[in-house]
Coordinates of all heavy atoms in Angstrom, one line a residue:
T24 N 3.2 -58.6 -27.7 CA 3.3 -57.3 -27.6 C 3.0 -56.7 -26.2 O 2.2 -57.4 -25.5 CB 2.5 -56.5 -28.6 OG1 1.2 -56.6 -28.4 CG2 2.9 -56.9 -30.1
S25 N 3.5 -55.6 -25.9 CA 3.2 -55.1 -24.5 C 1.7 -54.8 -24.4 O 1.2 -54.9 -23.2 CB 4.1 -53.8 -24.2 OG 3.7 -52.8 -25.2
A26 N 1.0 -54.5 -25.5 CA -0.4 -54.1 -25.3 C -1.1 -55.4 -24.9 O -2.2 -55.3 -24.2 CB -0.9 -53.5 -26.7
K27 N -0.9 -56.5 -25.5 CA -1.5 -57.9 -25.3 C -1.2 -58.2 -23.8 O -2.1 -58.8 -23.2 CB -1.2 -58.9 -26.2 CG -1.9 -58.7 -27.6 CD -1.7 -59.9 -28.5 CE -2.3 -59.6 -30.0 NZ -2.2 -60.7 -30.8
V28 N 0.0 -58.0 -23.4 CA 0.4 -58.5 -22.0 C -0.5 -57.6 -21.0 O -0.9 -58.1 -20.0 CB 1.9 -58.3 -21.7 CG1 2.2 -58.5 -20.4 CG2 2.6 -59.2 -22.7
N29 N -0.5 -56.2 -21.4 CA -1.2 -55.4 -20.4 C -2.9 -55.4 -20.4 O -3.3 -54.8 -19.6 CB -0.8 -53.9 -20.8 CG 0.6 -53.7 -20.2 OD1 1.1 -54.3 -19.4 ND2 1.2 -52.8 -21.0
Q30 N -3.4 -56.1 -21.4 CA -4.9 -56.2 -21.3 C -5.5 -56.7 -20.1 O -6.4 -56.1 -19.6 CB -5.3 -57.0 -22.5 CG -5.6 -56.1 -23.8 CD -6.1 -56.9 -25.0 OE1 -6.0 -58.1 -25.0 NE2 -6.7 -56.2 -26.0
P31 N -4.9 -57.8 -19.7 CA -5.7 -58.3 -18.4 C -5.5 -57.3 -17.2 O -6.4 -57.2 -16.4 CB -5.0 -59.7 -18.1 CG -4.4 -60.1 -19.5 CD -4.2 -58.8 -20.3
L32 N -4.3 -56.7 -17.1 CA -4.0 -55.8 -16.1 C -4.9 -54.6 -16.3 O -5.5 -54.1 -15.2 CB -2.6 -55.3 -16.1 CG -2.1 -54.4 -15.1 CD1 -2.3 -55.0 -13.7 CD2 -0.7 -54.0 -15.4
T33 N -5.1 -54.0 -17.4 CA -6.0 -52.9 -17.6 C -7.4 -53.3 -17.3 O -8.2 -52.5 -16.7 CB -5.9 -52.5 -19.1 OG1 -4.6 -52.2 -19.5 CG2 -6.8 -51.3 -19.4
F34 N -7.9 -54.5 -17.7 CA -9.3 -54.9 -17.4 C -9.4 -55.0 -15.9 O -10.4 -54.6 -15.3 CB -9.6 -56.2 -18.0 CG -10.9 -56.8 -17.7 CD1 -12.0 -56.2 -18.4 CD2 -11.1 -57.9 -16.9 CE1 -13.3 -56.7 -18.0 CE2 -12.2 -58.2 -16.6 CZ -13.5 -57.8 -17.1
F35 N -8.4 -55.5 -15.1 CA -8.6 -55.7 -13.7 C -8.6 -54.4 -13.0 O -9.4 -54.1 -12.0 CB -7.4 -56.5 -13.2 CG -7.3 -56.6 -11.7 CD1 -8.1 -57.4 -11.0 CD2 -6.3 -55.9 -11.0 CE1 -8.0 -57.4 -9.6 CE2 -6.2 -55.8 -9.6 CZ -7.1 -56.7 -8.9
L36 N -7.9 -53.4 -13.5 CA -7.8 -52.1 -13.0 C -9.0 -51.3 -13.1 O -9.7 -50.5 -12.3 CB -6.6 -51.3 -13.4 CG -5.3 -51.6 -12.9 CD1 -4.2 -50.8 -13.6 CD2 -5.0 -51.4 -11.4
F37 N -9.8 -51.5 -14.4 CA -11.0 -51.0 -14.8 C -12.1 -51.5 -13.7 O -12.8 -50.6 -13.2 CB -11.3 -51.4 -16.2 CG -12.7 -50.8 -16.5 CD1 -13.1 -49.4 -16.8 CD2 -13.7 -51.8 -16.6 CE1 -14.3 -49.0 -17.1 CE2 -15.2 -51.3 -17.0 CZ -15.4 -50.0 -17.2
I38 N -12.1 -52.7 -13.6 CA -13.1 -53.4 -12.7 C -12.8 -52.9 -11.2 O -13.8 -52.6 -10.5 CB -13.0 -55.0 -12.7 CG1 -13.4 -55.4 -14.1 CG2 -13.7 -55.5 -11.5 CD1 -14.7 -55.1 -14.5
L39 N -11.6 -52.7 -10.8 CA -11.2 -52.2 -9.4 C -11.8 -50.9 -9.2 O -12.4 -50.4 -8.2 CB -9.7 -52.3 -9.2 CG -9.4 -52.2 -7.8 CD1 -9.9 -53.0 -6.7 CD2 -7.8 -52.1 -7.7
V40 N -11.6 -50.0 -10.2 CA -12.0 -48.6 -10.1 C -13.6 -48.6 -10.1 O -14.2 -47.8 -9.3 CB -11.4 -47.8 -11.3 CG1 -12.1 -46.4 -11.5 CG2 -9.8 -47.7 -11.1
L41 N -14.2 -49.4 -10.9 CA -15.7 -49.4 -11.0 C -16.3 -49.9 -9.5 O -17.2 -49.2 -9.1 CB -16.0 -50.3 -12.0 CG -17.6 -50.5 -12.5 CD1 -17.9 -49.1 -13.0 CD2 -17.9 -51.5 -13.4
I42 N -15.6 -50.8 -8.8 CA -16.0 -51.2 -7.6 C -16.0 -50.2 -6.4 O -16.7 -49.9 -5.8 CB -15.3 -52.5 -7.2 CG1 -15.8 -53.8 -8.0 CG2 -15.5 -52.8 -5.7 CD1 -14.9 -55.0 -7.8
V43 N -14.7 -49.4 -6.7 CA -14.6 -48.4 -5.7 C -15.5 -47.3 -5.9 O -16.0 -46.7 -5.0 CB -13.0 -47.9 -5.8 CG1 -12.9 -46.5 -5.1 CG2 -12.1 -48.8 -5.4
I44 N -15.8 -46.9 -7.1 CA -16.8 -45.9 -7.5 C -18.1 -46.3 -7.0 O -18.9 -45.4 -6.3 CB -16.9 -45.6 -8.9 CG1 -15.6 -44.9 -9.4 CG2 -18.1 -44.7 -9.3 CD1 -15.5 -44.6 -10.9
V45 N -18.7 -47.6 -7.2 CA -19.9 -47.9 -6.8 C -20.0 -48.0 -5.1 O -20.9 -47.6 -4.5 CB -20.2 -49.4 -7.2 CG1 -21.4 -50.0 -6.5 CG2 -20.5 -49.3 -8.8
F46 N -18.8 -48.4 -4.5 CA -18.8 -48.3 -3.0 C -18.9 -47.0 -2.5 O -19.5 -46.8 -1.5 CB -17.4 -49.0 -2.6 CG -17.3 -49.1 -1.1 CD1 -18.0 -50.0 -0.4 CD2 -16.3 -48.2 -0.5 CE1 -17.8 -50.0 1.1 CE2 -16.3 -48.2 0.9 CZ -17.0 -49.1 1.7
L47 N -18.2 -46.0 -3.2 CA -18.3 -44.6 -2.7 C -19.6 -43.9 -2.9 O -20.1 -43.2 -2.1 CB -17.1 -43.8 -3.4 CG -15.7 -44.2 -2.8 CD1 -14.8 -43.3 -3.7 CD2 -15.6 -43.8 -1.5
L48 N -20.3 -44.3 -4.1 CA -21.6 -43.8 -4.3 C -22.7 -44.4 -3.6 O -23.8 -43.7 -3.5 CB -21.8 -43.9 -5.9 CG -21.0 -43.0 -6.8 CD1 -21.3 -43.2 -8.2 CD2 -21.1 -41.5 -6.4
R49 N -22.5 -45.5 -3.1 CA -23.7 -46.2 -2.3 C -25.0 -46.0 -3.1 O -25.8 -45.4 -2.4 CB -23.7 -45.8 -0.8 CG -22.5 -46.1 -0.1 CD -22.7 -45.7 1.3 NE -23.3 -44.5 1.7 CZ -22.7 -43.2 1.6 NH1 -21.5 -43.1 1.4 NH2 -23.4 -42.2 2.0
P50 N -25.2 -46.8 -4.2 CA -26.5 -46.6 -4.8 C -27.6 -47.3 -4.0 O -27.3 -48.2 -3.2 CB -26.3 -47.1 -6.2 CG -25.2 -48.1 -5.9 CD -24.3 -47.6 -4.9
G51 N -28.9 -46.9 -4.3 CA -29.9 -47.6 -3.8 C -31.2 -47.5 -4.7 O -31.3 -46.9 -5.6
V52 N -32.1 -48.5 -4.3 CA -33.4 -48.4 -5.2 C -34.6 -48.2 -4.3 O -34.8 -48.8 -3.2 CB -33.6 -49.8 -5.9 CG1 -34.9 -49.9 -6.6 CG2 -32.4 -50.2 -6.6

Side-chain angles (χ1 to χ4, degrees):
T24 61
S25 62
K27 287 186 179 181
V28 171
N29 288 334
Q30 268 184 339
L32 180 62
T33 305
F34 180 73
F35 174 74
L36 288 176
F37 174 75
I38 296 297
L39 185 64
V40 167
L41 193 63
I42 289 170
V43 168
I44 289 172
V45 168
F46 180 75
L47 291 175
L48 290 179
R49 291 184 323 272
V52 177

